[in-house]
Amino acid sequence: MMIERWHGPWAMLVLFCLIITLSALASRTHAESAANPAADNAAVRSYDIPAGPLSTVLTRFANQSGLVLSVDGKLTAGKTSAGLEGSFSPQQALDRLLLGSGLTSERRGTTLTLLPVAATAPLQLAPITVDAVLEGTVSTSYSAPDSFAATRTDTPLIETPVSAQSVTRQSLQDTGAETLADGYEFLAGVTRDNTQGGLQGDEVIVRGFQTDNILTNGNRTSSASTLDIANVERLEVVRGPTATLFGKADPGGLINVITKQPLNEQLRQVSLSGASGLGGDGERLQQGRLAVDLGGPLTEDKRLRYRLNAAVQDERSFRQDVDEKLLFISPVIDYQINERTIVNLEVIHQQREDTFDRGLFFVDGKLVLPLDFNVAEGNTGQIDKDYTSATLRLEHEFAPGWKARLGVYGSDDQREGNAVQQASINGSTVERQRRRVDLRDRFFTVQPEVTGSFQTGAIEHRLLLGADFQHEKSEFLGLIGPSGGAIDVFDPDFSIPVPALDTNLSTPGSVIFDSTVDGDSLGVYVQDQIDVTEQWKLLLGLRWDSVDLDARLDNAFNIGFLLPVEKDANFKDTNLSPRAGIVYQPVDYVSVYASYAESYRPPVDGFSFADASGIAVDAETAKNYELGVKLESPNSRLNGTLAIYRADKENVLETDPNDPFGLSAVNLGKVRGEGIEFDLSGEVNDNLSLGFTYAYTDTRTQSETPSLPAGIRLRNIPRNAASAQIAYRFTQGSLAGLRLFGSLIYEDEKLTNTSATIKTTIPSSVRLNLGAGYRFDKGVDAYLLAKNVTDKEYYTSAAGQNNIGVGDPLRLEMGVTVNF
């Protein structure tokens, strides 16, 4: 059991690292404060500075930071600043206030002096934002105007023909998000998919198409177990085909997780929170969580910096006998080797002890069971999930305007355990069966890139050249026992024994599934962003892929006699994926774009080399057409996109919901996805933050097949979905320090099974969350959050009628964060 392992080497190592880190920080801080009383002024603090004339903005900065500024009035004359809102170190705050002014700062003793950029020493490598090695920030904003994954270059989103949106750390906190999947509901066009009882991790649907494209800081990663958000700075979606840059991809898009990175100034933060259900179905729910966020420089010259995020959590779900324990730790360290070179190493380790839970099921075509009903009550097993990843990133500026980047990523994801699940269902009688799973997924990728700018006459080019090599090995061993232990769901007797697993397969109904998949892929890509004029911009891209997948399957079924099934399968293919887009900016803060792109997705694993009928399938390919409008406020604190699209995808494979392992696929043929999306998020003013999304998604089959006519909607996709967030912060008067926030989530009904003869849906839902926070003196923040205030019954996802994910009822959360 996982809880037993926590008392072993990992627990000791984590405890040792935390003790040593905290002790070192405490002693270092004490020594620095004793040697330099002004050191306390360098701590991260909150700033609230509206846009305006640069001289006025700098005066307010000096007043709020407590620092001395030396400014020549001639340097600031006629210049403006976009202002600042959020928590930053003094240097980070000043750098942002001076952005675009042609000025920089230089510390001279205890005074910061402003100088023209040309008057300073040779420039060092600029802080890298989200493209390679990140510079960490601490912000309370809903705004994120950039997206590295959209073009893999430092290009403002408004200048790209790509629809992208982010949910920031503050936004995630205000919604009470605990996992990545919790944040999907606030990304337009994104829906969480069913996880097969927790086996499949954070499954996601974008623009109506399933995708396994979940990146970390722009690097492709394995399809991991459900990951905690303790180290997440923000979560972004890049909608539309992304195959040109990322290889195997869907026309819907991808998810990119931006993690917290090392800071220039000290950050020491401890958070404690708890949650409880409030009667009814949610009465059983109890949760406790402790998180630590530490960061800062490790050397006096700040070339060596670190960040450490860790969390432990214990949760008793509102569902009977469904519980969870979590241990998460993620250290990051970066080192600026010289003025032009920086390297970053990041490790993520997570241990989860989950209860396998396939949710509810339909009874006579209706969802009538209580939300806390668990067919495995009294017989539950657990699934232990261990996930470890490491990322090494290197960036070097080898010539003015030209950079080389290298990303190396590896991960090891293991999931094993036992469970009881529903088997056959006949009216109100359900039979149960035991199962065991043992899965291991190892993933490795190397991605070198070169970016640079050059001119041909008056036309400016931003060129990207890159390649990526990926290797993945997946091993799966599954065992299903015979059906039995029937109960009446309306008068259940959970003491009725469930048949034991039969490892020898001597009992009819027993199944063993054993498979290994090895995959290698190589991609080479080029992209050119062309500024034809200040108003007209082009994006052209092309990628070549080579894929080689091998699978070995050894299955055995007892159907009254033993039926072995052995198969070797191979998939080899190459493909070219083009991309083109155009942007027109009539004014600085508005752009109109159009784009065309093709996507390419080979079989995800060996189980999908053939459909459920055993017929070999080709790679999934798609063509996408998109038009859109983007808006950005003059200070870049409020951003929005309106997009309309159509995607036609061939050879669409959908997980067969009738397969108890979720490992075989149904070939839907050609599918068309059409829709409209709108998102708007950021800061309306210095006090008001908001986020709003709406998506109309219509994804349907286009092919006529023997078992499926054209025009059928795909499962688990709401036709209409919307979300809203709002937060108001009081900065003056007796209510100063108070923050009020809330969010609303709406989803249409969703089909449970695309290929089923009898169609069933999970109902639409509206949920409301309300919260309040207060910032006390001396860096203490507290909050109170009520989730699902109206106690609305809702269902998160479906994979057939017998696997319905259930949402939480009304719950109350309280937490406090201490900065020291």
Side-chain angles (χ1 to χ4, degrees):
M1 293 177 64
M2 180 173 296
I3 190 64
E4 295 173 347
R5 297 202 305 275
W6 288 0
H7 294 293
W10 268 112
M12 295 300 295
L13 177 60
V14 172
L15 182 61
F16 176 80
C17 290
L18 289 175
I19 291 174
I20 293 299
T21 302
L22 287 169
S23 299
L25 286 171
S27 60
R28 175 182 174 86
T29 303
H30 175 76
E32 289 178 344
S33 298
N36 178 18
D40 290 340
N41 290 330
V44 173
R45 63 176 64 193
S46 179
Y47 294 91
D48 180 19
I49 305 173
L54 182 57
S55 58
T56 302
V57 167
L58 292 175
T59 299
R60 292 179 178 175
F61 167 73
N63 291 336
Q64 293 185 25
S65 67
L67 297 179
V68 178
L69 278 180
S70 175
V71 184
D72 183 346
K74 295 180 181 179
L75 296 178
T76 60
K79 296 181 178 179
T80 61
S81 172
L84 187 69
E85 188 272 333
S87 298
F88 304 92
S89 71
Q91 189 61 58
Q92 288 175 327
L94 186 55
D95 289 345
R96 284 160 174 75
L97 293 175
L98 295 177
L99 190 65
S101 68
L103 302 176
T104 189
S105 62
E106 181 179 287
R107 182 177 289 275
R108 295 176 178 177
T110 60
T111 301
L112 287 172
T113 301
L114 297 192
L115 300 170
V117 171
T120 64
L123 289 177
Q124 295 183 343
L125 180 66
I128 303 163
T129 52
V130 294
D131 48 346
V133 183
L134 314 185
E135 183 191 18
T137 61
V138 180
S139 173
T140 59
S141 176
Y142 281 12
S143 176
D146 58 354
S147 169
F148 169 69
T151 61
R152 297 191 70 84
T153 61
D154 296 325
T155 306
L157 265 178
I158 198 167
E159 298 180 11
T160 66
V162 182
S163 176
Q165 179 207 346
S166 293
V167 177
T168 66
R169 181 181 60 86
Q170 184 63 61
S171 176
L172 291 170
Q173 288 180 349
D174 287 353
T175 63
E178 298 173 5
T179 66
L180 298 180
D182 293 333
Y184 296 159
E185 296 172 320
F186 298 91
L187 295 170
V190 179
T191 306
R192 66 170 74 190
D193 201 2
N194 197 277
T195 66
Q196 300 291 333
L199 287 180
Q200 302 300 321
D202 284 326
E203 298 289 287
V204 62
I205 297 173
V206 185
R207 286 186 171 178
F209 294 98
Q210 291 177 307
T211 180
D212 62 343
N213 272 10
I214 299 179
L215 313 180
T216 301
N217 298 323
N219 289 95
R220 181 181 290 279
T221 64
S222 64
S223 180
S225 301
T226 298
L227 286 179
D228 195 78
I229 64 166
N231 71 328
V232 175
E233 184 64 36
R234 75 180 195 242
L235 184 66
E236 68 175 2
V237 59
V238 179
R239 294 178 283 255
T242 55
T244 304
L245 297 180
F246 299 101
K248 59 179 183 180
D250 295 275
L254 60 81
I255 302 293
N256 187 30
V257 182
I258 308 299
T259 61
K260 297 178 181 178
Q261 293 298 310
L263 299 165
N264 279 325
E265 306 296 341
Q266 295 290 352
L267 172 69
R268 297 177 294 277
Q269 192 174 86
V270 176
S271 300
L272 180 65
S273 63
S276 177
L278 295 178
D281 288 339
E283 186 174 8
R284 184 178 181 274
L285 187 148
Q286 297 290 329
Q287 182 194 84
R289 178 182 175 89
L290 174 66
V292 177
D293 188 355
L294 307 172
L298 292 171
T299 58
E300 188 175 350
D301 61 5
K302 300 184 179 181
R303 286 181 179 270
L304 183 64
R305 308 178 303 169
Y306 85 103
R307 190 79 174 263
L308 175 65
N309 282 273
V312 291
Q313 180 172 305
D314 194 338
E315 178 175 347
R316 188 178 71 169
S317 166
F318 75 96
R319 287 181 49 74
Q320 294 296 327
D321 289 348
V322 177
D323 303 318
E324 173 200 89
K325 289 182 173 65
L326 165 78
L327 170 65
F328 180 94
I329 183 168
S330 178
V332 191
I333 190 168
D334 65 21
Y335 179 60
Q336 188 168 346
I337 300 172
N338 54 44
E339 289 78 5
R340 296 179 178 273
T341 309
I342 190 168
V343 63
N344 175 288
L345 176 63
E346 179 171 8
V347 176
I348 298 173
H349 178 74
Q350 177 178 279
Q351 292 179 193
R352 275 189 184 272
E353 181 184 290
D354 283 348
T355 303
F356 178 85
D357 180 21
R358 298 201 75 170
L360 296 182
F361 46 89
F362 280 75
V363 178
D364 291 331
K366 298 178 181 180
L367 284 170
V368 294
L369 295 175
L371 295 187
D372 63 348
F373 179 87
N374 180 10
V375 73
E377 182 176 336
N379 295 276
T380 54
Q382 70 180 46
I383 300 179
D384 294 335
K385 304 175 183 178
D386 287 1
Y387 174 82
T388 302
S389 69
T391 306
L392 177 68
R393 291 170 287 170
L394 176 70
E395 180 164 320
H396 174 67
E397 186 178 40
F398 58 88
W402 287 86
K403 297 178 183 178
R405 290 195 295 251
L406 175 66
V408 181
Y409 173 91
S411 66
D412 188 350
D413 186 17
Q414 300 181 63
R415 286 163 256 176
E416 60 176 325
N418 298 281
V420 171
Q421 66 180 17
Q422 51 263 36
S424 62
I425 301 171
N426 184 13
S428 64
T429 300
V430 57
E431 291 191 333
R432 297 169 294 165
Q433 59 188 179
R434 298 186 184 274
R435 67 182 296 178
R436 175 167 178 81
V437 294
D438 191 345
L439 179 150
R440 187 174 188 183
D441 187 12
R442 283 160 287 183
F443 188 90
F444 177 78
T445 182
V446 179
Q447 189 167 16
E449 290 181 329
V450 173
T451 64
S453 300
F454 65 94
Q455 286 190 315
T456 55
I459 298 177
E460 183 177 349
H461 299 258
R462 275 164 288 180
L463 187 67
L464 169 69
L465 298 171
D468 54 53
F469 169 78
Q470 298 166 24
H471 172 75
E472 183 171 11
K473 183 174 183 178
S474 296
E475 298 169 292
F476 183 90
L477 177 64
L479 182 66
I480 291 183
S483 299
I487 60 173
D488 185 336
V489 296
F490 298 123
D491 186 21
D493 180 2
F494 293 108
S495 66
I496 297 175
V498 181
L501 286 174
D502 180 5
T503 56
N504 296 319
L505 302 189
S506 58
T507 308
S510 298
V511 179
I512 190 168
F513 192 101
D514 189 359
S515 71
T516 300
V517 180
D518 271 294
D520 292 311
S521 62
L522 173 65
V524 180
Y525 51 92
V526 59
Q527 175 183 272
D528 190 8
Q529 294 172 260
I530 306 169
D531 292 349
V532 180
T533 67
E534 290 187 2
Q535 294 179 310
W536 289 95
K537 306 175 191 301
L538 295 176
L539 184 148
L540 303 173
L542 185 66
R543 179 186 175 101
W544 174 81
D545 277 294
S546 175
V547 179
D548 188 349
L549 301 173
D550 290 292
R552 171 66 180 172
L553 288 81
D554 296 300
N555 305 338
F557 306 84
N558 189 323
I559 54 175
F561 61 91
L562 200 61
L563 177 65
V565 177
E566 299 182 1
K567 182 172 65 173
D568 289 315
N570 176 259
F571 181 91
K572 290 186 178 181
D573 195 18
T574 59
N575 187 74
L576 281 175
S577 303
R579 178 188 193 186
I582 185 169
V583 179
Y584 172 63
Q585 279 188 270
V587 295
D588 289 342
Y589 309 115
V590 178
S591 67
V592 181
Y593 72 90
S595 68
Y596 168 82
E598 297 182 8
S599 68
Y600 169 76
R601 187 175 188 254
V604 178
D605 48 47
F607 319 121
S608 302
F609 294 173
D611 62 22
S613 302
I615 300 175
V617 297
D618 294 325
E620 298 177 331
T621 59
K623 298 180 179 180
N624 187 86
Y625 308 86
E626 185 171 333
L627 296 172
V629 179
K630 297 184 180 184
L631 306 173
E632 182 178 275
S633 65
N635 57 12
S636 299
R637 294 172 64 184
L638 190 64
N639 307 274
T641 302
L642 173 65
I644 181 171
Y645 65 89
R646 189 185 80 184
D648 289 319
K649 187 176 182 181
E650 302 280 355
N651 304 312
V652 176
L653 298 180
E654 181 182 72
T655 302
D656 184 359
N658 297 316
D659 180 350
F661 281 111
L663 300 174
S664 62
V666 176
N667 191 346
L668 303 180
K670 181 179 179 180
V671 172
R672 170 169 291 179
E674 297 177 311
I676 301 172
E677 294 161 344
F678 174 71
D679 66 80
L680 179 70
S681 62
E683 314 304 309
V684 177
N685 54 40
D686 297 325
N687 303 89
L688 181 62
S689 304
L690 64 79
F692 179 78
T693 69
Y694 169 76
Y696 171 81
T697 308
D698 188 15
T699 307
R700 297 175 179 269
T701 59
Q702 299 291 302
S703 302
E704 294 279 355
T705 68
S707 59
L708 194 67
I712 302 298
R713 289 172 52 205
L714 268 60
R715 70 167 181 87
N716 218 30
I717 304 166
R719 183 180 280 112
N720 294 280
S723 70
Q725 280 188 274
I726 188 169
Y728 188 86
R729 181 165 53 93
F730 295 88
T731 56
Q732 296 178 351
S734 59
L735 296 180
L738 177 65
R739 190 168 178 275
L740 303 177
F741 51 91
S743 57
L744 189 72
I745 305 105
Y746 169 76
E747 281 191 336
D748 256 352
E749 63 179 17
K750 296 183 284 190
L751 199 65
T752 63
N753 189 337
T754 305
S755 53
T757 303
I758 300 176
K759 303 301 181 184
T760 56
T761 61
I762 55 178
S764 61
S765 65
V766 179
R767 285 173 286 139
L768 175 66
N769 305 321
L770 295 175
Y774 191 81
R775 169 159 292 181
F776 297 88
D777 293 338
K778 299 182 180 179
V780 178
D781 294 276
Y783 78 92
L784 178 65
L785 173 65
K787 298 185 67 174
N788 194 4
V789 172
T790 60
D791 202 19
K792 172 70 176 181
E793 293 187 3
Y794 71 100
Y795 305 90
T796 59
S797 58
Q801 296 187 42
N802 299 341
N803 190 358
I804 311 297
V806 185
D808 284 353
L810 171 63
R811 60 186 284 174
L812 187 68
E813 295 182 10
M814 293 178 288
V816 61
T817 297
V818 180
N819 296 273
F820 58 95

